[in-house]
Amino acid sequence: MIDEFHKGLEPAAVPQDGSNLRILIVHTRWNSPIVQGLVEGAKKAMVEQHKVRPENIVIESVPGAYELPFAAKKLLEVSQIRAAEGANDLMGNVSLLDGLNLTGTSSPATSTPAATSTASKQAFDAVICIGVLIKGSTMHFEYICEAVSQGIMRVGLDSGVPVIFGVLTCLTEEQALNRAGMDKAGKGHNHGLDWGQGAVEMALLKNRTL
Ligand code: DLZ
Protein backbone atom coordinates (compact mmCIF):
# COMPACT_ATOMS: atom_id res chain seq x y z
CA MET A 1 0.00 0.00 0.00
CA ILE A 2 1.37 3.43 -0.94
CA ASP A 3 1.17 5.92 1.97
CA GLU A 4 1.88 9.16 0.09
CA PHE A 5 0.36 8.95 -3.37
CA HIS A 6 1.35 11.75 -5.77
CA LYS A 7 -1.81 12.61 -7.70
CA GLY A 8 -1.14 13.20 -11.35
CA LEU A 9 2.19 13.58 -13.08
CA GLU A 10 5.39 13.03 -11.09
CA PRO A 11 7.86 15.94 -11.58
CA ALA A 12 10.78 15.32 -13.95
CA ALA A 13 14.10 14.28 -12.43
CA VAL A 14 15.75 17.60 -13.33
CA PRO A 15 14.21 21.12 -13.24
CA GLN A 16 12.46 22.04 -16.49
CA ASP A 17 13.16 25.70 -17.31
CA GLY A 18 10.49 27.10 -19.62
CA SER A 19 11.65 30.74 -19.57
CA ASN A 20 12.55 30.71 -23.29
CA LEU A 21 9.51 28.78 -24.47
CA ARG A 22 6.42 29.96 -26.31
CA ILE A 23 3.34 27.83 -25.80
CA LEU A 24 -0.05 27.80 -27.52
CA ILE A 25 -3.17 26.71 -25.67
CA VAL A 26 -6.21 25.96 -27.84
CA HIS A 27 -9.35 25.28 -25.85
CA THR A 28 -12.99 24.55 -26.58
CA ARG A 29 -16.02 26.62 -25.63
CA TRP A 30 -18.09 23.49 -25.07
CA ASN A 31 -18.31 22.75 -21.32
CA SER A 32 -16.70 26.12 -20.76
CA PRO A 33 -16.55 26.40 -16.93
CA ILE A 34 -14.70 23.09 -16.62
CA VAL A 35 -12.48 23.90 -19.59
CA GLN A 36 -11.56 27.26 -18.04
CA GLY A 37 -10.48 25.49 -14.84
CA LEU A 38 -8.24 23.20 -16.87
CA VAL A 39 -6.76 26.13 -18.83
CA GLU A 40 -5.98 27.93 -15.57
CA GLY A 41 -4.30 24.77 -14.25
CA ALA A 42 -2.10 24.48 -17.33
CA LYS A 43 -1.10 28.16 -17.13
CA LYS A 44 -0.40 27.89 -13.39
CA ALA A 45 1.95 24.94 -13.81
CA MET A 46 3.84 26.58 -16.68
CA VAL A 47 4.23 29.99 -15.05
CA GLU A 48 4.67 29.07 -11.39
CA GLN A 49 6.60 25.82 -11.67
CA HIS A 50 8.47 26.25 -14.95
CA LYS A 51 9.03 30.00 -15.36
CA VAL A 52 7.19 30.29 -18.65
CA ARG A 53 6.56 34.01 -19.19
CA PRO A 54 2.79 34.80 -19.21
CA GLU A 55 3.23 36.88 -22.37
CA ASN A 56 4.63 33.77 -24.08
CA ILE A 57 1.43 31.81 -23.51
CA VAL A 58 -1.03 32.43 -26.34
CA ILE A 59 -4.62 31.30 -25.80
CA GLU A 60 -7.13 30.70 -28.58
CA SER A 61 -10.57 29.08 -28.52
CA VAL A 62 -12.57 26.88 -30.89
CA PRO A 63 -16.22 25.74 -30.72
CA GLY A 64 -15.81 22.07 -29.78
CA ALA A 65 -13.26 19.31 -29.36
CA TYR A 66 -13.63 18.17 -32.96
CA GLU A 67 -12.14 21.51 -34.09
CA LEU A 68 -9.02 21.25 -31.89
CA PRO A 69 -6.67 19.43 -34.33
CA PHE A 70 -7.42 21.80 -37.21
CA ALA A 71 -6.88 24.89 -35.06
CA ALA A 72 -3.66 23.52 -33.58
CA LYS A 73 -2.29 22.76 -37.04
CA LYS A 74 -3.30 26.11 -38.54
CA LEU A 75 -2.03 28.29 -35.67
CA LEU A 76 1.20 26.33 -35.47
CA GLU A 77 1.82 26.89 -39.18
CA VAL A 78 1.09 30.61 -38.89
CA SER A 79 3.53 30.92 -35.99
CA GLN A 80 6.19 29.12 -38.03
CA ILE A 81 5.67 31.50 -40.97
CA ARG A 82 5.90 34.46 -38.61
CA ALA A 83 9.10 33.11 -37.12
CA ALA A 84 10.64 32.68 -40.57
CA GLU A 85 9.61 36.22 -41.43
CA GLY A 86 11.10 37.44 -38.16
CA ALA A 87 14.44 36.27 -39.46
CA ASN A 88 13.70 38.04 -42.74
CA ASP A 89 12.78 41.27 -40.90
CA LEU A 90 16.28 41.42 -39.54
CA MET A 91 17.37 41.82 -43.15
CA GLY A 92 14.83 44.61 -43.76
CA ASN A 93 12.12 42.58 -45.54
CA VAL A 94 8.36 43.21 -45.14
CA SER A 95 6.13 40.73 -43.30
CA LEU A 96 3.63 38.90 -45.50
CA LEU A 97 1.34 38.43 -42.50
CA ASP A 98 1.19 42.06 -41.37
CA GLY A 99 -2.40 43.01 -40.62
CA LEU A 100 -3.60 39.42 -40.25
CA ASN A 101 -5.81 39.10 -37.18
CA LEU A 102 -4.59 35.97 -35.44
CA THR A 103 -6.84 36.45 -32.45
CA GLY A 104 -10.12 36.27 -34.31
CA THR A 105 -11.30 33.12 -32.51
CA SER A 106 -10.11 34.11 -29.06
CA SER A 107 -12.31 34.22 -26.00
CA PRO A 108 -11.92 37.77 -24.67
CA ALA A 109 -11.54 36.73 -21.04
CA THR A 110 -8.45 34.62 -21.52
CA SER A 111 -6.72 35.70 -24.66
CA THR A 112 -3.25 37.13 -24.93
CA PRO A 113 -3.25 39.32 -28.03
CA ALA A 114 -0.88 38.22 -30.76
CA ALA A 115 1.17 41.38 -30.99
CA THR A 116 3.99 42.10 -33.35
CA SER A 117 6.53 41.97 -30.53
CA THR A 118 9.74 40.00 -30.72
CA ALA A 119 8.06 37.18 -28.75
CA SER A 120 5.32 36.84 -31.34
CA LYS A 121 7.99 36.11 -33.94
CA GLN A 122 8.96 32.95 -32.10
CA ALA A 123 7.24 29.79 -33.34
CA PHE A 124 5.34 27.81 -30.73
CA ASP A 125 7.45 25.21 -28.95
CA ALA A 126 4.43 23.17 -27.88
CA VAL A 127 0.66 23.20 -28.12
CA ILE A 128 -1.86 22.15 -25.47
CA CYS A 129 -5.31 21.21 -26.79
CA ILE A 130 -7.86 21.43 -23.99
CA GLY A 131 -11.47 20.26 -24.05
CA VAL A 132 -14.05 18.21 -22.20
CA LEU A 133 -16.12 15.53 -23.91
CA ILE A 134 -19.03 14.13 -21.94
CA LYS A 135 -20.83 11.03 -23.12
CA GLY A 136 -24.45 11.40 -24.20
CA SER A 137 -26.98 8.80 -25.29
CA THR A 138 -25.77 8.41 -28.89
CA MET A 139 -22.55 7.24 -30.55
CA HIS A 140 -21.41 10.86 -31.05
CA PHE A 141 -19.03 10.71 -28.09
CA GLU A 142 -17.18 7.67 -29.43
CA TYR A 143 -16.70 9.20 -32.89
CA ILE A 144 -15.46 12.54 -31.55
CA CYS A 145 -13.10 10.94 -29.02
CA GLU A 146 -11.53 8.78 -31.71
CA ALA A 147 -11.23 11.62 -34.24
CA VAL A 148 -9.81 14.12 -31.76
CA SER A 149 -7.24 11.81 -30.21
CA GLN A 150 -6.03 10.64 -33.64
CA GLY A 151 -6.07 14.20 -35.00
CA ILE A 152 -4.06 15.66 -32.14
CA MET A 153 -1.48 12.89 -32.39
CA ARG A 154 -1.21 13.48 -36.14
CA VAL A 155 -0.60 17.22 -35.79
CA GLY A 156 2.23 16.54 -33.37
CA LEU A 157 3.93 13.85 -35.44
CA ASP A 158 3.49 15.70 -38.75
CA SER A 159 4.72 19.06 -37.44
CA GLY A 160 7.48 17.84 -35.16
CA VAL A 161 6.04 20.08 -32.43
CA PRO A 162 4.60 18.34 -29.37
CA VAL A 163 0.84 18.63 -29.01
CA ILE A 164 -0.51 17.71 -25.59
CA PHE A 165 -3.79 15.78 -25.46
CA GLY A 166 -5.63 17.83 -22.87
CA VAL A 167 -9.05 16.42 -23.57
CA LEU A 168 -11.08 14.79 -20.82
CA THR A 169 -13.26 11.99 -22.16
CA CYS A 170 -15.79 11.46 -19.40
CA LEU A 171 -18.85 9.33 -18.86
CA THR A 172 -20.44 11.88 -16.53
CA GLU A 173 -20.15 15.56 -15.63
CA GLU A 174 -19.06 14.53 -12.13
CA GLN A 175 -16.05 12.74 -13.59
CA ALA A 176 -15.13 15.86 -15.53
CA LEU A 177 -15.43 18.12 -12.48
CA ASN A 178 -13.29 15.70 -10.48
CA ARG A 179 -10.56 15.71 -13.12
CA ALA A 180 -10.56 19.49 -13.24
CA GLY A 181 -10.21 19.67 -9.45
CA MET A 182 -13.66 21.28 -9.25
CA ASP A 183 -15.63 18.54 -7.47
CA LYS A 184 -17.67 19.44 -4.39
CA ALA A 185 -15.74 17.03 -2.15
CA GLY A 186 -12.46 18.66 -3.12
CA LYS A 187 -10.81 15.31 -3.72
CA GLY A 188 -10.21 15.75 -7.42
CA HIS A 189 -7.06 16.72 -9.26
CA ASN A 190 -6.74 19.39 -11.95
CA HIS A 191 -5.25 17.60 -14.94
CA GLY A 192 -4.47 20.96 -16.50
CA LEU A 193 -1.48 21.11 -14.13
CA ASP A 194 -0.11 17.90 -15.66
CA TRP A 195 -0.67 19.16 -19.19
CA GLY A 196 1.22 22.39 -18.47
CA GLN A 197 4.08 20.43 -16.98
CA GLY A 198 4.03 17.96 -19.86
CA ALA A 199 4.07 20.75 -22.46
CA VAL A 200 7.21 22.32 -20.99
CA GLU A 201 8.98 18.98 -20.73
CA MET A 202 8.13 18.00 -24.30
CA ALA A 203 8.98 21.46 -25.70
CA LEU A 204 12.42 21.22 -24.10
CA LEU A 205 12.80 17.73 -25.52
CA LYS A 206 11.91 19.04 -29.00
CA ASN A 207 14.52 21.82 -28.69
CA ARG A 208 17.23 19.55 -27.30
CA THR A 209 20.42 19.26 -29.28
CA LEU A 210 22.22 16.03 -28.51
C1 DLZ B 1 -21.79 18.32 -30.70
C2 DLZ B 1 -20.97 18.17 -29.44
C3 DLZ B 1 -21.45 17.42 -28.36
C4 DLZ B 1 -22.76 16.70 -28.41
N1 DLZ B 1 -20.76 17.29 -27.24
C5 DLZ B 1 -19.55 17.92 -27.14
C6 DLZ B 1 -18.80 17.82 -25.94
O1 DLZ B 1 -19.15 17.20 -24.95
N2 DLZ B 1 -17.58 18.45 -25.92
C7 DLZ B 1 -17.09 19.18 -26.99
O2 DLZ B 1 -15.98 19.71 -26.90
N3 DLZ B 1 -17.82 19.28 -28.12
C8 DLZ B 1 -19.02 18.69 -28.22
N4 DLZ B 1 -19.75 18.80 -29.36
C9 DLZ B 1 -19.25 19.68 -30.46
C10 DLZ B 1 -18.25 19.00 -31.41
O3 DLZ B 1 -16.98 18.86 -30.81
C11 DLZ B 1 -18.07 19.88 -32.66
O4 DLZ B 1 -17.82 21.21 -32.28
C12 DLZ B 1 -19.28 19.86 -33.58
O5 DLZ B 1 -19.64 18.55 -33.90
C13 DLZ B 1 -19.01 20.66 -34.89
O6 DLZ B 1 -17.94 20.08 -35.61
Side-chain angles (χ1 to χ4, degrees):
M1 186 71 183
I2 304 167
D3 291 334
E4 278 296 316
F5 182 70
H6 180 90
K7 268 197 171 178
L9 179 61
E10 192 73 29
V14 290
Q16 305 285 305
D17 181 355
S19 54
N20 289 321
L21 297 177
R22 189 161 184 251
I23 310 283
L24 170 67
I25 295 177
V26 191
H27 69 83
T28 64
R29 295 193 303 279
W30 263 82
N31 301 313
S32 193
I34 305 176
V35 166
Q36 286 305 327
L38 293 162
V39 169
E40 288 308 314
K43 277 166 56 183
K44 183 178 164 70
M46 290 193 285
V47 172
E48 294 180 15
Q49 294 168 25
H50 300 288
K51 302 183 197 157
V52 177
R53 285 183 274 171
E55 65 269 27
N56 281 348
I57 301 174
V58 175
I59 301 180
E60 299 283 340
S61 77
V62 291
Y66 193 76
E67 284 71 46
L68 286 170
F70 180 89
K73 178 177 159 61
K74 178 70 188 175
L75 295 169
L76 198 47
E77 285 171 356
V78 171
S79 84
Q80 287 166 340
I81 293 170
R82 275 204 181 278
E85 291 196 338
N88 264 356
D89 285 352
L90 294 174
M91 297 184 289
N93 295 334
V94 176
S95 170
L96 295 172
L97 291 175
D98 272 356
L100 181 64
N101 176 16
L102 292 179
T103 58
T105 59
S106 307
S107 51
T110 56
S111 294
T112 306
T116 49
S117 65
T118 317
S120 75
K121 297 287 187 188
Q122 181 182 336
F124 296 120
D125 297 292
V127 183
I128 311 175
C129 290
I130 297 182
V132 174
L133 282 157
I134 300 176
K135 187 170 169 57
S137 54
T138 69
M139 288 294 289
H140 187 269
F141 174 80
E142 280 79 3
Y143 282 110
I144 302 265
C145 287
E146 175 69 11
V148 175
S149 57
Q150 295 290 334
I152 288 176
M153 174 64 82
R154 205 172 98 196
V155 176
L157 294 178
D158 289 354
S159 66
V161 177
V163 183
I164 299 296
F165 182 66
V167 181
L168 298 180
T169 55
C170 299
L171 301 179
T172 63
E173 192 179 312
E174 288 67 38
Q175 283 185 348
L177 288 166
N178 182 278
R179 284 152 185 79
M182 297 167 73
D183 56 315
K184 283 203 183 101
K187 292 189 172 171
H189 167 72
N190 187 336
H191 284 244
L193 295 164
D194 305 335
W195 302 333
Q197 186 183 328
V200 170
E201 191 173 333
M202 293 305 291
L204 293 172
L205 177 67
K206 172 188 79 70
N207 292 346
R208 193 189 292 171
T209 48
L210 292 173

